[in-house]
Amino acid sequence: MIVFSPAVAAAAAVLFLGYHLYRYLQSPLRKIPGPALCGLTSLVLKWHEFQAKRTDFVHRLHLQYGPVVRIAPNEVSFASWPAVKEIYCSGGSGYDKTEFYDLFKAYSRRTMFTMLNKADHAKRKRVIADRYANSNIMKSASLSGIQERSNRFIQRCASSADGTQDVFVALLALKTDCSGTNRSSTALHSYACDCATHHLFHPHGTNCLQDPKDEDMMHQVAADDSLQNRLISHWSPTLHRLLARVLTMFAKPREIPLATAYVLDSSSRSDVATFTLMSRLEEKHGELESIDMAAECLDHMAAGIDTTGDGLCFLMWELSQPRSLAFQQKLQRELQSQPDVPFDKLSYLDAVVLEGLRCFPPIPMSLPRYVPEGGREIDGVWLPEKTVVSCQAFTLHRLDQTLFPDPDKFNPDRWLEPEGDADRRRMLFAFSNGGRGCVGKHLAIAEMKTLLRDVYSNFTTVPDASMQDESMAMSDQLISSRPVGGQCLLKFDRIAK
Ligand code: HEM
């Protein structure tokens, strides 16, 4: 048959290549630095995304080509402050989000996080922002809940038989390490979940640190292994729909029934505390349907687990390394000499958290946006409308070595230098920037500082002997990142007082 003849196949291949070459040569992006193959096809980028290595791939391109790189035919990555200002801060909240965010819909609804255009987002944010203001987070009812959870975390560290804790959420609900020893597990993500749900629903927050049923619920959200499945649904929704069943055999879909049931139940309660997000949503009942309220809460719970959990996990891992022992000791000295000073007044604790967020941003990868109608100039480069543009925290925190000398070295002391302080802080992109930056930032910082203060006032941490450095390499998920080995075993040695 003619359709299968080699001549037809060759002609089709030539046409296909010719079309892509023509598009490449005609593209207004053709002069932007980057590998030629990335300008011809998005498959290179997709391949790295599929392998959970997008962040590293984009970072290596920046190291090679500089602060502006074409990473796909219609996609450009930037790594400079002028680009952050234009893409994420111009007009208050920057450019509109791309359809990538459809992947995060909750109960099929758009939330503040998943709304694509500025106007819808601004309306929702007006409802929500109040409960995440620092003044609300610092209220005693809010802080005492965080403190209570930190105390539970410390109890767990103190009570584990040999002082070893898996501080990363143990994937596949494993409670046994590779040597077959029983370990306490899942501590930091449990803490993050308990703090987030306290802020959403108190007194109906979870108790993952003590209740295995709540811990199972948290596992569904945090140990989600659906990267490949969800990427396919993003790249080709039709293919995903057609092949859904077959695909499930190779790539797990996202399934979180326990979490969706917990949030539906908790968001229907009317006896929540006034500092909670739920109380604010109830005040606005006329503006939002019940399912929208639940979707917002599910989204915030998920946003608050992996981010704070992974951020603390990578940071405590680094502090536990022999190379960072001097920093851990300096932190311990500050905490021991000022036991009654509030966490937000401790300067070395602040430096440690900032350096943790710089080296290990929990959302390290590109946050994609569309260039608006009419096109825009970004950091000296003209781009037509609908070009996908982004910055990624991992690279912004490393590329400019005048701001961050020896950028791969964990060194909290850099944040104590007065010279260049404002520029360094401005470049910190862990929470993004502008009106669509992280609304939960103050809550996350309060959680991180409370826990680190309590841990390092009481313990010295060292890596468990069974841990290998490689297992703590970054594995990208959908925008967040976690240790590739899926566990982080640390030993907690009590400080003699
Ligand atoms: C260390 C911890 C955290 C980090 C590093 C972090 C980082 C971020 C980043 C980078 C964004 C912007 C994402 C984008 O544009 O695609 C974001 C948005 C958001 N975060 Fe966080 N986050 C953290 C903790 C939290 C917590 C604890 C909550 C709530 C409980 C939260 C709730 C949200 C929400 C609702 C948004 C969407 C904001 C909007 O679109 O207006 N985050 N976060």
Side-chain angles (χ1 to χ4, degrees), residues 157 160-168 175-185 313 316-322 328 456 460-472 487-493:
C157 297
S160 72
D162 60 356
T164 303
Q165 272 282 339
D166 182 356
V167 293
F168 183 70
K175 294 211 174 179
T176 314
D177 76 359
C178 46
S179 62
T181 323
N182 278 324
R183 304 285 194 194
S184 310
S185 68
C313 173
M316 286 172 66
W317 169 254
E318 179 57 45
L319 276 174
S320 308
Q321 301 306 306
Q328 188 181 147
Y456 291 103
T460 294
T461 60
V462 291
D464 187 71
S466 65
M467 285 292 294
Q468 307 287 325
D469 261 359
E470 309 80 70
S471 73
M472 287 301 292
Q487 65 173 5
C488 174
L489 295 172
L490 296 182
K491 267 178 86 60
F492 289 71
D493 296 329

Side-chain angles (χ1 to χ4, degrees), residues 101 112-113 121 300 303-304 307-308 362 367 369 430-432 438-439 444:
Y101 289 89
M112 180 167 73
F113 177 56
H121 173 263
H300 296 213
T307 49
T308 314
L367 308 177
R369 304 290 191 262
F431 293 106
S432 184
C438 181
V439 78

Side-chain angles (χ1 to χ4, degrees), residues 92-238:
S93 50
Y95 300 173
D96 286 348
K97 289 186 166 180
T98 68
E99 288 77 14
F100 168 72
Y101 289 89
D102 290 355
L103 289 172
F104 302 92
K105 279 188 200 162
Y107 305 110
S108 305
R109 294 295 175 120
R110 282 204 190 278
T111 57
M112 180 167 73
F113 177 56
T114 54
M115 280 166 179
L116 302 187
N117 77 67
K118 278 162 102 148
D120 293 341
H121 173 263
K123 200 166 154 211
R124 182 64 59 89
K125 191 163 178 181
R126 270 197 292 279
V127 174
I128 286 170
D130 153 279
R131 289 303 193 274
Y132 284 104
N134 200 33
S135 50
N136 191 51
I137 301 298
M138 296 305 278
K139 281 182 180 156
S140 63
S142 163
L143 283 187
S144 64
I146 298 176
Q147 186 58 62
E148 200 180 316
R149 273 120 189 124
S150 179
N151 295 345
R152 286 180 197 155
F153 182 90
I154 298 296
Q155 265 170 30
R156 252 174 94 150
C157 297
S159 64
S160 72
D162 60 356
T164 303
Q165 272 282 339
D166 182 356
V167 293
F168 183 70
V169 56
L171 298 180
L172 309 173
L174 283 179
K175 294 211 174 179
T176 314
D177 76 359
C178 46
S179 62
T181 323
N182 278 324
R183 304 285 194 194
S184 310
S185 68
T186 73
L188 287 174
H189 291 66
S190 293
Y191 170 72
C193 182
D194 291 349
C195 289
T197 53
H198 167 71
H199 191 74
L200 295 172
F201 303 124
H202 182 67
H204 306 293
T206 54
N207 184 7
C208 306
L209 279 163
Q210 293 176 330
D211 183 342
K213 278 212 298 287
D214 284 354
E215 194 180 5
D216 285 347
M217 185 280 287
M218 180 277 299
H219 261 290
Q220 284 189 342
V221 181
D224 173 59
D225 254 341
S226 63
L227 172 73
Q228 280 84 6
N229 191 301
R230 293 167 90 197
L231 279 175
I232 294 170
S233 96
H234 171 49
W235 296 333
S236 176
T238 314

Side-chain angles (χ1 to χ4, degrees), residues 49 71 94 186 217 252 256 303 309:
E49 285 175 346
I71 56 176
T186 73
M217 185 280 287
K252 270 173 60 180
I256 51 165

